[in-house]
Amino acid sequence: MNTRTTNASRPTGFSGETVRALASTLLLLGLIGDRRVR
C-alpha cells in the first residue's frame, strides 16, 4: 500500500483519499456489526 499525502491537495488525490477512508470505515463498521451480532 502506497501512501500519497502529496496528492491530497489535488482533486483526484482528494477523491481517492475520501474513497479509501469510506472503504476503511465501512470495513470497520462491518467488523463491529459482525461482532455485535455474535
Side-chain angles (χ1 to χ4, degrees):
M1 289 181 69
N2 49 358
T3 54
R4 301 177 184 178
T5 53
T6 53
N7 291 344
S9 59
R10 298 179 184 177
T12 51
F14 184 72
S15 61
E17 288 295 327
T18 46
V19 171
R20 187 177 295 178
L22 285 171
S24 59
T25 45
L26 283 172
L27 284 171
L28 286 171
L29 285 172
L31 288 172
I32 293 170
D34 196 19
R35 286 185 179 181
R36 282 186 180 179
V37 172
R38 294 179 183 176

